Amino acid sequence: MRLNYPPNVKIIKVPCTGKVDVIHLLQAFERGADGVYIAGCLEGDCHFLRGNLRARKRVEYTKRLLDEIGIGGERLQMYNMSAAQGPRFAEVAREMTERIMTLGPNPIRAKNRKP
Amino acid sequence: MKSESKLEQILTKGEFAVTSECGPPRGADAEVIRKKGEMLKGFVDGVNVTDNQTSVVRMSSISSCVILKELGLNPIMQMVTRDRNRIAIQSDILGAAALGINNILCLTGDHQKFGDHASAKNVFDMDSIQLVQTVKLMRDEGKFLGGEELKGSPKMFIGAAENPFADPFEIRVPRLAKKVAAGVDFIQTQCIYNLPKFEKWMKLVRDRGLHERVHILGGVTPFKSVGMANYMKKSVPGMDVPDELIERMKAAPKEKKAEEGINICIETIQRLRDIEGIHGVHVMAIEWEEMVSEIVKRAGLFPRPHIES
Amino acid sequence: MIVAERKPLEQISSMIESNSKVLIVGCGECVTVCSAGGKKEVDILASALNMIRIKESKPIEIRQETLERQCDAEYLEQLRGFIGEYEVVISMACGAGVQFMAEKYKNSLVLPALNTKFIGVTEEQGVWSERCHACGDCKLHLTGGVCPIARCSKSLLNGPCGGSANGKCEISPEVVCGWQLIIERLSDLGQLEKYEEIIPINDWSTNRDGGPRKVVREDLRL
Ligand code: SF4
Ligand code: SF4
């Protein structure tokens, strides 16, 4: 199935969202990402039992850090979907892209751009 | 006599004692205390003066006691261990005795979290039982905690509070036994509403013979309204208010609620008088001091015995 | 272990407002276990401070290190070669570690990144709670193994106070009454008679009241 999702979305694959740590999310922003979202399995469907639930809590924690830093926690979001929900994946990609468009670029990236 | 306290004389003579309570004002106006004192004068054998109760700053207990003393009342100085270390406690005991205060009620005190200075540092150098020991040591052995002798021992009648209804129930009597062992002379209990439970506690007290070693004064507080009864039941930790009393308050006609509260209080006093080992009542009419005289009269406890001082 | 918590980012970043070369040093002991100042937290703090400074157009150079522990001189020595190159050092150790680093590097400004909370345990993953105040004269043999000083809000030695209700402390329904625990333990151990022994007024001179404390073992000294 080929689905269209915005080309600005860069996918990083991990075996389980439980692998995603706070520092990975922060570094994505530090390196200029305008937004990050995590697509985890549906709650209750984690192959490692609680990986996606852990990820959600880390996302919440990182959102607060991003607020403290002044980047804005709304640039980070956790979604849950199953591997069979291709259209949902595309929809989320568009939703996130739209949200970021409204928020504008990551202030770090704007400042960091070498002249 | 261990002390020069009128309360001690009354209790020793086997009279049924009556004490009450008076909270100092949040300001320097002595008139507030005098007014409350005048309402109680002649109707009680001792008046507790609270020590920054619920950790809200008020006029000091010692000075309020002196004001009441000047009116001819017999003040019972409450002292909490929350705000003073052993140096200040012993010094205040000496000072109070020198000013003619000869009753002390030893308390731990509410945590400062409840008050108007929640960021204060607390002291708790000792607890209430150790405070009882301290006063006794100063009075009977003429010594400071540090071991040195003092000149002119404070002749204080030593009291403590006890809550027969608090958790866990199995240690309620052992806890009283600890206070007795520490040397307490009289006990004022938490407000009694659940009489069967109180009687059960008293039976255990008698089984251990504690009632012969300490004067127990049962605490009573009249309900002013249904709201107050409900508040006492639900929001005051360690308070046991049976449903039937709430129902009685509810059933009373609107303009007679306060009267019903007083009736319940008087009935409670009557029942307490019949319990072996109860030597008096402690009437806590919170911000309702004007009712104390009526309660005392209607309970048949007036006039108070005359004691030569 | 010693349990700590990171200070708010804003407070840390305002401490280093005027600096542009910063060394962040974590500690591999207690604060790693309680996820406050180990390697992971050093990485997070560095990344966050870096972003804050880029945002403010005041870029900063940060070096990150995590030592085995900061309360022993031999590990602190590992910083000797380069610490001087940094304007400030942010220590993510407990208060003891921060001070010891400052003592060993007299020319460096060492700042705390954590609020040191208490001596406690991991109650469950992500939850730590207090157990000991380091009173200097342990009384656990008298109280069924539950500390009356750290676990009673008033440090009562002959509790409970009148505020104990349903096993909870008067200060909050979230706080278990230490004396309730003591009584339960004593009764489980069949030692409830111990409750009736009055614990005498405490000698607080072994506590912080006696001034800064020290332990010396002559047999171990070099
Ligand atoms: S008694 Fe003292 S040393 Fe023992 S656990 Fe309590 S505070 Fe710590
Ligand atoms: S309720 Fe329990 S823990 Fe709280 S102060 Fe009283 S005795 Fe201590």
Side-chain angles (χ1 to χ4, degrees), chain A residues 21-23 26-27 29-30 61 65 68-71 107-108 111-112, chain C residues 6 8-10 40 43-44 46-48 50-52 54-57:
Chain A
D21 223 325
V22 177
I23 189 67
L26 283 184
Q27 280 170 350
F29 288 100
E30 205 177 351
Y61 179 80
L65 276 176
E68 274 193 88
I69 294 165
I71 291 179
I108 305 294
K111 290 277 171 60
N112 223 5
Chain C
R6 197 197 67 235
L9 281 178
E10 203 195 323
K40 259 186 169 181
D43 287 348
I44 291 169
S47 169
N50 186 37
M51 283 191 263
I52 290 174
I54 293 172
K55 228 183 89 243
E56 292 171 350
S57 305

Side-chain angles (χ1 to χ4, degrees), chain B residues 76-100:
Chain B
I76 301 167
M77 174 178 68
Q78 295 198 179
M79 184 179 275
V80 299
T81 63
R82 176 193 61 224
D83 309 321
R84 301 168 177 85
N85 69 6
R86 66 191 74 180
I87 299 171
I89 283 177
Q90 294 177 98
S91 154
D92 279 349
I93 289 169
L94 294 180
L99 289 165

Side-chain angles (χ1 to χ4, degrees), chain C residues 131-140 147 149:
Chain C
R131 287 295 183 278
C132 171
H133 276 192
C135 75
D137 181 18
C138 196
K139 292 148 186 65
L140 290 173
C147 174
I149 295 180

Side-chain angles (χ1 to χ4, degrees), chain C residues 174-187:
Chain C
E174 310 287 306
V175 178
V176 177
C177 168
W179 270 96
Q180 171 84 25
L181 297 176
I182 292 172
I183 289 154
E184 279 168 12
R185 271 299 278 162
L186 286 176
S187 101

Side-chain angles (χ1 to χ4, degrees), chain B residues 247-286:
Chain B
E247 291 311 318
R248 249 185 89 174
M249 286 301 288
K250 277 191 190 152
K254 209 167 164 208
E255 64 292 349
K256 296 231 163 114
K257 300 267 188 217
E259 201 184 310
E260 189 66 0
I262 301 284
N263 290 340
I264 295 174
C265 181
I266 287 161
E267 288 163 30
T268 309
I269 296 177
Q270 310 293 16
R271 284 191 57 185
L272 288 175
R273 288 182 77 167
D274 293 336
I275 299 176
E276 188 193 344
I278 292 294
H279 296 173
V281 276
H282 179 50
V283 186
M284 295 166 273
I286 305 149

Side-chain angles (χ1 to χ4, degrees), chain B residues 86 111 114 127 167 208, chain C residues 154 158 166 170 196 202 204:
Chain B
R86 66 191 74 180
H111 195 269
F114 296 103
D127 57 36
D167 296 319
R208 292 187 54 164
Chain C
K154 300 175 187 167
N158 297 284
N166 304 318
E170 67 174 26
E196 287 206 34
N202 195 36
W204 295 104

